[in-house]
Amino acid sequence: MTEAQPTDKRFDFLTGEEVEGELLAQRLHRSQVSPEDALRYALDLGAYLAKTHALSRLHCHVSPQSILIDAVGRTVLVQPLEHDNAGHEYRSPEQVSGKQADACSDIYSFGAVLYRLAAGVPPFQGEGAALNSAILHTQPAPLASQHPIHQAMQPVIADCLQKDPTKRRQRIQNAVTELKLMARTHVRPEAASKLRELTQFRPTPNSHDDAGDVPANGSDPAATQAVFSGSADAEYVPFAQTIRAVSARRLGPGIWIVVIALAVCAAGIAAMVMYSNRSTGPVYRFTIDSAEAKSPGMPAVSPDGRTLAFTADGAGGKRTLWVQALDGTHPKPVEDTEGASEPFWSPDGAYVGFFANGVLKKIRIQNGSPSGAPVDICPVDNFPGGGTWSKDGVIVFASKLTSGLSKVSVARRNAEPLTNLDEAKHERAHLWPQFLPDGRHFIFFVAADEGDENTGVYIGSLDSSTYKKLLTAETNAVYGGGSGSSGHLLYIRDGNLVGRPFQPSKLQLSGDALTLADNVAPVESLSLAQVSASTNGTLVYEGAGQSTRQLVWLDRSGKAIGTVGNPGDWGPPRLSPDAKRIAAGRRDEKAGAAVIWILDTANGASYQLTHLRGGSAQPVWSPDGSRIAFSNDELGSYDLYIQSTRPESKAELVYRTANRKFFDDWTRDDRGLVFDEIIPGMNRGLWLLNAHDHRASIVLDTIHSEGYAAVSPDGRWLAYQSDETGINQIVVQPYDNGSSGSKRIWAITRDGGGLPKWRRDSLELFYITQPGEICSVAVHPHGSDFAYDPPKELFQTRPTPHSWNLYDVAPNGDRFLVNSPMDWSGSSKIAGIINWQKALQ
């Protein structure tokens, strides 16, 4: 601020400390603020107001006369002056009516200030009764400005200015979050850089007592940003941007013993319903069970309805392809198909295509049995997303879960891209293609950002890279109905398997969906309806079982090399410094909360460490491996504890505040523990707890959400994730023994990343992306400069629905311990319907 600009001395509303700067009213009187400045003021004011409400305080006089911009550009809400009527234009309708003000009243005034910033005038003007009447009964004029920032602010302003408090924004942090996301799209790069400069790494005055009860700043830690699923109010992972991406789904049965409800001769039924045209026959429902093939995978029924292909674990636990003739009694494992997943049939039923160990393959099937060895077609990712085979010998497939579809000629085996993700529509994956009867068009599933309207079933063509939306859906759809002019799309909606009339010749829906079976859960992590239909009326399906997790060792290529312990509802795994033990939380059904367990990595032996009431979460190891630090909510919030790793030891409470706190790391010099503190309505901030006197000091506290920090083993660097750009990214800055203040930062990622981990020598940094890709960054520090190579993907993990996966890294970086999701329970059985079209009539 220059000397020519007016200054004012007021008192910070929360701390009572004197602050000096220019009132927003004075700033607006001089000239209209730029759109970028309007957004910056709005974000700062929203974060401050969220902190105010988190402390159960109300301002009740929010207006440009009570907002001060200090010398470093920070927006501060100040105490209103006595008998100050200058803010009457910003009162809420309930205040005008003489009713009791509450947090929604402040939110209304916040919206009025934003309107003033964008429009240049208050939403209502005048004096006395005329002003009061306008606030109570008149809608403000639409914003005249066509600037993208102002237009993007309009929905937030409108929601805040609702006359009825019950229809108004109920939480200020929701408005702040939307404004931040909007900034990512509409702020020019040069202005965004200035915005970051002015809003980042500025400590705000603390409003805590000597015990450090309440940190100063932060913002809403989105609903998914907790750390342990076993606790009533917490979930695993940090990030509000999500993709429903592909993992290998295992499902029910294998031996096809068809149990028809009617008591008739099985052979006669088989002859009548298996191989004939079933359009006029009765509807039969059956279930299929297996005793030989363990944990069977997604079933695919042959076009003629005679044979089933699926994947399952056989002798020695190896997962392979299996086939089963429907009139037979035993499934047959297919040799040389280890690692198989996601089978699909050629249109003539002569081949099964499948994926295994990063390759798309095919194998010939004759009379329900494999014939010959598998043949490689083309390379794919470790976790593909389904394939489909046309009558002209073209396979369309999802090579990986973060890209569009590809196509390959079975004869020439030359794969090429077919569809591309539309980033403007927030698309994250194209999955589960299936050809329609003409052999040129196909349907597939588009996974967009969670809750995005672009998620659904689309139609594409071999002749074009363009595609169009067919319907909004939570899963893919499967076409059933043969080669005629009409059929149905089969998909899962609200837990039911439904069929909706569809005309493939016109590529359009022709009626409403009707239920075929209820209580059918999709594989949520895959957005997958486990459904397969033949061309002559046989339908098989299975609902997903209870999901759980397995601690799995993976090498640097992503190959599974072992497991630890039994499957369970495990939280984030943390390896001891010597990688011989694991600390992880798991829900205890009797206690109804999570407890910390210690597992031996060699033999899986385990014992329960914590015995506190409430949920225990996010453990970290001391440098010598003798202690565990963790969070527990026994006292009503997640407070910080330290406990010896000896069985039956007692936990010591070391830090308590009214807010949730979670440990991130324990420095290798044993001097400090980095933790996140989350203030309701505000973002995460990073703090350092002295390991000896248990005093806490702020490390990083901005209007953004920073957390999940990791200190390099050499003590030089602090890596953490930040949502400053609108999505979580990996950032590195000097550690400097946890001191706060402005520091140089290096933005490591551009396309998102979280949960950073260091190699023991500090020369490699790892992180994971939201779709589950483990990435590596080679580090070449030179003096005070953090030099590094561009990130590279190491491998893809099984993704976790609605969150990010959980992992840790062995000290030398050669192995990764991943808390891998398992979307099956082994208890679900494949069900079937013969002449299913008639069931929809």
Side-chain angles (χ1 to χ4, degrees), residues 633-647:
D633 67 346
E634 179 180 53
L635 302 179
S637 184
Y638 279 93
D639 296 308
L640 303 181
Y641 292 77
I642 295 179
Q643 182 172 345
S644 167
T645 56
R646 296 190 308 272

Side-chain angles (χ1 to χ4, degrees), residues 307-311 320-323 332-338 340-356 359-377 389 395 410 413:
T307 311
L308 178 73
F310 59 96
T311 59
T320 62
L321 183 69
W322 296 64
V323 292
K332 300 175 182 179
V334 181
E335 294 183 359
D336 301 324
T337 60
E338 183 177 347
S341 67
E342 303 166 23
F344 56 95
W345 290 86
S346 62
D348 59 4
Y351 288 89
V352 169
F354 64 98
F355 304 91
V359 179
L360 171 60
K361 300 171 179 279
K362 67 176 182 177
I363 188 167
R364 187 170 181 84
I365 304 296
Q366 287 183 318
N367 300 321
S369 299
S371 174
V375 176
D376 292 354
I377 297 177
W389 196 318
I395 293 177
V410 178
R413 306 176 190 175

Side-chain angles (χ1 to χ4, degrees), residues 205-426:
N206 286 342
S207 57
H208 55 69
D209 56 24
D210 292 339
D213 281 348
V214 181
N217 204 355
S219 78
D220 179 37
T224 55
Q225 286 190 333
V227 291
F228 196 74
S229 68
S231 302
D233 61 347
E235 289 296 339
Y236 269 118
V237 238
F239 304 96
Q241 303 285 332
T242 114
I243 180 180
R244 297 180 177 178
V246 180
S247 70
R249 159 71 176 148
R250 303 181 178 180
L251 16 156
I255 299 179
W256 278 78
I257 302 174
V258 179
V259 183
I260 306 297
L262 301 178
V264 294
C265 174
I269 292 294
M272 177 176 67
V273 301
M274 288 291 183
Y275 313 129
S276 63
N277 187 320
R278 300 158 190 157
S279 61
T280 60
V283 176
Y284 296 98
R285 296 179 183 267
F286 58 89
T287 59
I288 307 157
D289 204 352
S290 171
E292 295 162 290
K294 307 297 183 182
S295 300
M298 186 176 71
V301 64
S302 61
D304 62 6
R306 293 172 177 261
T307 311
L308 178 73
F310 59 96
T311 59
D313 296 338
K318 293 183 178 180
R319 191 160 193 82
T320 62
L321 183 69
W322 296 64
V323 292
Q324 167 72 49
L326 291 189
D327 58 353
T329 57
H330 296 278
K332 300 175 182 179
V334 181
E335 294 183 359
D336 301 324
T337 60
E338 183 177 347
S341 67
E342 303 166 23
F344 56 95
W345 290 86
S346 62
D348 59 4
Y351 288 89
V352 169
F354 64 98
F355 304 91
N357 303 317
V359 179
L360 171 60
K361 300 171 179 279
K362 67 176 182 177
I363 188 167
R364 187 170 181 84
I365 304 296
Q366 287 183 318
N367 300 321
S369 299
S371 174
V375 176
D376 292 354
I377 297 177
C378 67
V380 294
D381 192 70
N382 285 337
F383 289 92
T388 184
W389 196 318
S390 81
K391 59 187 179 182
D392 295 323
V394 174
I395 293 177
V396 172
F397 62 100
S399 177
K400 61 184 300 185
L401 55 84
T402 55
S403 67
L405 299 174
S406 299
K407 64 180 179 179
V408 62
S409 167
V410 178
R412 294 191 296 272
R413 306 176 190 175
N414 52 335
E416 57 183 287
L418 179 56
T419 66
N420 297 308
L421 300 181
D422 189 338
E423 294 185 1
K425 294 183 178 180
H426 312 292

Side-chain angles (χ1 to χ4, degrees), residues 180 215 217-228 234-239 618 631 660-664 675-687 698 700-709 720-723 728 755:
K180 287 165 60 179
N217 204 355
S219 78
D220 179 37
T224 55
Q225 286 190 333
V227 291
F228 196 74
E235 289 296 339
Y236 269 118
V237 238
F239 304 96
Q618 200 146 324
S631 299
R660 295 190 298 164
K661 302 159 292 295
F662 302 103
F663 280 118
D664 293 337
F675 68 92
D676 305 346
E677 183 156 14
I678 306 171
I679 304 176
M682 306 181 65
N683 288 342
R684 286 179 182 247
L686 292 178
W687 291 69
I698 190 69
L700 193 61
D701 189 11
T702 75
I703 66 171
H704 309 294
S705 181
E706 289 93 8
Y708 299 91
Y720 56 93
Q721 64 187 49
S722 170
D723 71 347
N728 282 287
L755 306 179

Side-chain angles (χ1 to χ4, degrees), residues 66 450 588 723:
S66 61
E450 187 170 350
D588 183 274
D723 71 347

Side-chain angles (χ1 to χ4, degrees), residues 228 236 548-554 560-575 581-586 597-601 604-606 619 798 805-808 815-822 824:
F228 196 74
Y236 269 118
T548 184
R549 294 176 172 85
Q550 173 70 62
L551 297 175
V552 180
W553 280 113
L554 306 175
I561 55 177
T563 61
V564 181
N566 296 319
D569 193 12
W570 293 106
R574 298 300 295 261
L575 287 165
R581 291 172 293 170
I582 301 167
R586 188 179 69 187
W597 286 75
I598 304 296
L599 297 86
D600 189 294
T601 58
S606 63
R798 295 179 187 270
N805 218 328
L806 306 163
Y807 78 107
D808 206 354
R815 294 182 300 159
F816 298 80
L817 184 67
V818 178
N819 193 342
S820 186
M822 300 169 64
W824 68 94

Side-chain angles (χ1 to χ4, degrees), residues 497-663:
L497 175 60
V498 301
R500 186 169 180 181
F502 176 74
Q503 294 178 297
S505 59
K506 297 181 179 180
L507 302 178
Q508 65 184 28
L509 297 163
S510 57
D512 297 328
L514 297 175
T515 299
L516 268 171
D518 54 13
N519 297 319
V520 181
V523 182
E524 198 171 15
S525 64
L526 299 167
S527 299
L528 172 63
Q530 302 169 111
V531 182
S532 180
S534 70
T535 58
N536 61 350
T538 297
L539 168 69
V540 292
Y541 66 92
E542 185 185 12
Q546 180 65 40
S547 64
T548 184
R549 294 176 172 85
Q550 173 70 62
L551 297 175
V552 180
W553 280 113
L554 306 175
D555 64 15
R556 286 181 69 99
S557 69
K559 181 181 179 181
I561 55 177
T563 61
V564 181
N566 296 319
D569 193 12
W570 293 106
R574 298 300 295 261
L575 287 165
S576 62
D578 60 5
K580 293 183 178 180
R581 291 172 293 170
I582 301 167
R586 188 179 69 187
R587 182 174 179 82
D588 183 274
E589 295 300 331
K590 293 182 179 179
V595 298
I596 304 296
W597 286 75
I598 304 296
L599 297 86
D600 189 294
T601 58
N603 57 26
S606 63
Y607 63 88
Q608 181 178 335
L609 178 68
T610 62
H611 296 270
L612 297 171
R613 295 188 301 272
S616 298
Q618 200 146 324
V620 297
W621 291 84
S622 64
D624 62 1
S626 66
R627 292 159 291 164
I628 291 288
F630 62 95
S631 299
N632 179 273
D633 67 346
E634 179 180 53
L635 302 179
S637 184
Y638 279 93
D639 296 308
L640 303 181
Y641 292 77
I642 295 179
Q643 182 172 345
S644 167
T645 56
R646 296 190 308 272
E648 306 304 324
S649 59
K650 301 296 182 183
E652 176 190 5
L653 175 64
V654 295
Y655 188 69
R656 183 185 181 192
T657 69
N659 307 302
R660 295 190 298 164
K661 302 159 292 295
F662 302 103
F663 280 118

